[in-house]
Amino acid sequence: MRLEILPVLGIGHVTEGDDLPAVIATAAPWLRNGDVLVVTSKIVSKAEGRLVDVPADGPERLVARDEILAGETARVVASRGPTRIVQTHHGFVMASAGIDASNVDKTRLVLLPVDPDASARALREALRERYDLDVAVIISDTMGRPWRNGLTDVALGVAGMPAIRDHRGEVDPYGNELQLTQMAVVDELAGAGELIKGKCDQVPVAVVRGYLSATDPDDAAGARVLVRDAAQDLFSLGTAEARAAGLADAAALTDALGSTPADLGAVRRAIDAIADVVAPGTVFTLVDEAEVRAGLVAEMPGWPEGAALVLGEAPTPVEPLGLVRFGADLHRLRVALAAEGVQSTLLPPPPGSPASAALAL
């Protein structure tokens, strides 16, 4: 395979309502069937009117930007000072929801396209119908990456080719069957296009030639397949946010146990309520053996006897080291909850007040 990466020059400024297929076809009359167009999302957003007016500077601009960011945010992943890493309504995890203030008037901000896959399909269809060009289209934008410095372009939308090349089931030269290899080829092509587009050169479109022998009209899945399912995302929150969420969940669970330690039905219902948010492999064990109760009371002076909910296997037979570990873990959790200002029955109860249950992590 031999690839060429070609810049599309002469596009200039794109404004709301511009005919983007005509702009691209006019600037690149040399396009061929099978080419891959890598189009910066910003010119797509501009043509589609995804622009908002904001003050040019001052605190009013920051307030307006925060309001816009809130509207583009499905959930906050991490927050450090003024930086917000959020998940957009598309499912993308990006800094500031992809809101951009570069290459646009100071009194405007550019938002991501509402549906980048639909934008890619519309551009591809227009080029095919009006100019008899059968090309694939990638809508790209710049993102940071967890654990690595630097930015790279990735695909937000795609039409005319699959987003992922699936190698599972293929056999490598050593006779090993590939089990997990799925290559995000549209991200790789988006990054290749960025090599010649740049950020200050006003080259918002690149062409990758030689990758496709033919386009694939069965592209209904688009780039949405690149968004990892929440159930498989092991890093869905920043560290501080995950810790706070875990403490809040622990407090909510403890409060859900009710005030009667003997109400094991309520305890089991609480376990069922959080079973899908605990670490895989966690074993819930209800403990009410006399020896364990005595150990808990010894580890937590002032707490009355009662049923304890232990996350993890209870030591069998009961051994002192397990009880010490339980008490130490519980103490650390109580201190962490107090530091977070989270009120729950895990906090040391006032003298003489009943405690409903104990929870160990």
Side-chain angles (χ1 to χ4, degrees):
M1 182 185 295
R2 176 175 176 172
L3 299 181
E4 293 180 273
I5 309 172
L6 309 170
V8 177
L9 305 175
I11 287 180
H13 293 286
V14 174
T15 59
E16 184 173 352
D18 280 355
D19 186 344
L20 200 55
V23 169
I24 293 174
T26 300
W30 41 265
L31 282 173
R32 301 178 189 171
N33 292 342
D35 284 346
V36 180
L37 277 180
V38 182
V39 183
T40 302
S41 65
K42 185 171 297 179
I43 65 169
V44 176
S45 293
K46 287 181 176 180
E48 293 178 349
R50 288 284 285 165
L51 299 159
V52 291
D53 295 318
V54 293
D57 50 33
E60 295 83 2
R61 179 183 176 88
L62 297 178
V63 171
R65 185 184 176 96
D66 286 345
E67 291 176 352
I68 295 165
L69 175 57
E72 296 294 302
T73 297
R75 69 180 179 92
V76 175
V77 174
S79 177
R80 302 292 183 274
T83 302
R84 300 287 185 275
I85 307 298
V86 305
Q87 185 175 46
T88 70
H89 296 293
H90 318 80
F92 310 134
V93 176
M94 309 176 71
S96 300
I99 297 170
D100 202 338
S102 64
N103 290 301
V104 69
D105 188 85
K106 290 184 179 295
T107 61
R108 310 197 87 179
L109 296 175
V110 185
L111 312 182
L112 295 181
V114 173
D115 186 342
D117 283 326
S119 299
R121 287 193 295 269
L123 179 54
R124 166 175 154 79
E125 188 65 25
L127 290 170
R128 184 169 53 187
E129 290 185 353
R130 292 155 54 182
Y131 302 96
D132 197 27
L133 285 169
D134 187 12
V135 298
V137 176
I138 295 173
I139 308 296
S140 70
D141 197 25
T142 303
M143 287 189 191
R145 299 159 299 163
W147 310 296
R148 295 182 70 84
N149 290 321
L151 306 173
T152 186
D153 264 28
V154 300
L156 303 186
V158 63
M161 64 176 294
I164 292 175
R165 183 178 178 185
D166 194 344
H167 292 275
R168 292 175 299 176
E170 297 178 12
V171 178
D172 69 15
Y174 293 87
N176 302 305
E177 182 178 339
L178 302 179
Q179 303 289 335
L180 301 172
T181 307
Q182 294 176 286
M183 301 302 297
V185 291
V186 290
D187 283 348
E188 294 176 315
L189 292 170
E194 172 58 22
L195 291 175
I196 62 169
K197 287 193 296 179
K199 293 301 179 190
C200 302
D201 301 330
Q202 292 190 329
V203 182
V205 180
V207 174
V208 180
R209 178 169 291 169
Y211 179 77
L212 291 180
S213 57
T215 61
D216 183 356
D218 186 18
D219 57 9
R224 291 191 304 274
V225 298
L226 297 171
V227 177
R228 191 182 298 277
D229 184 81
Q232 298 177 340
D233 189 352
L234 301 183
F235 307 98
S236 60
L237 291 173
T239 51
E241 290 74 16
R243 178 173 179 269
L247 294 174
D249 287 343
L253 169 65
T254 306
D255 293 337
L257 296 182
S259 59
T260 306
D263 184 4
L264 301 186
V267 175
R268 291 191 177 94
R269 287 194 297 274
I271 293 174
D272 291 340
I274 67 158
D276 60 342
V277 296
V278 298
T282 296
V283 178
F284 293 95
T285 305
L286 285 170
V287 180
D288 59 1
E289 291 88 346
E291 292 173 281
V292 177
R293 288 205 308 272
L296 294 179
V297 171
E299 291 297 325
M300 298 175 290
W303 282 59
E305 294 185 9
L309 177 62
V310 182
L311 302 186
E313 292 279 7
T316 305
V318 176
E319 40 92 21
L321 182 59
L323 295 177
V324 170
R325 187 164 55 245
F326 174 90
D329 287 345
L330 180 59
H331 178 70
R332 281 194 290 270
L333 181 58
R334 286 160 59 190
V335 171
L337 284 169
E340 294 288 339
V342 178
Q343 297 298 315
S344 85
T345 53
L346 286 175
L347 297 177
S353 67
S356 63
L359 175 66
L361 291 178

